[in-house]
Amino acid sequence: MDEELPQLTNFILPSGGQASAFLHVARSTCRRAERAVVPLVQSGSVHTDVGVFMNRLSDYLFTAARIAAKRAGKEEVCYQKS
């Protein structure tokens, strides 16, 4: 999937049309769940692979959002420090 996208040189803001926006929301939800899983992994309540899976899923959703924006012909909005 990454081969289709330009390399990131800046942080980007969630943008890029409706499909991309939904994927960014899904990613932020996944990241919240990932943060909730970390203590469970550390305590041994769940297998470490659960944490790895959550991390990879959020990476996938980020890439999918970028691809959705590109296919929709939308520009990615770069973060500008104020």
Side-chain angles (χ1 to χ4, degrees):
M1 283 174 61
D2 282 334
E3 309 83 39
E4 191 176 328
L5 298 168
Q7 186 173 359
L8 283 178
T9 57
N10 297 306
F11 288 109
I12 61 166
L13 299 174
S15 55
Q18 187 175 28
S20 180
F22 284 137
L23 288 162
H24 280 295
V25 169
R27 177 178 179 265
S28 66
T29 303
C30 181
R31 293 285 292 160
R32 188 176 337 125
E34 181 183 357
R35 288 189 299 275
V37 164
V38 168
L40 299 174
V41 170
Q42 290 173 338
S43 71
S45 298
V46 297
H47 196 278
T48 57
D49 288 344
V50 175
V52 172
F53 175 80
M54 296 300 290
N55 182 265
R56 297 297 180 265
L57 179 59
S58 67
D59 288 347
Y60 170 80
L61 292 169
F62 178 72
T63 302
R66 292 189 68 212
I67 287 174
K70 181 178 182 206
R71 291 183 181 171
K74 305 288 184 175
E75 294 274 331
E76 291 179 321
V77 178
C78 292
Y79 170 75
Q80 300 291 324
K81 189 174 181 177
S82 44

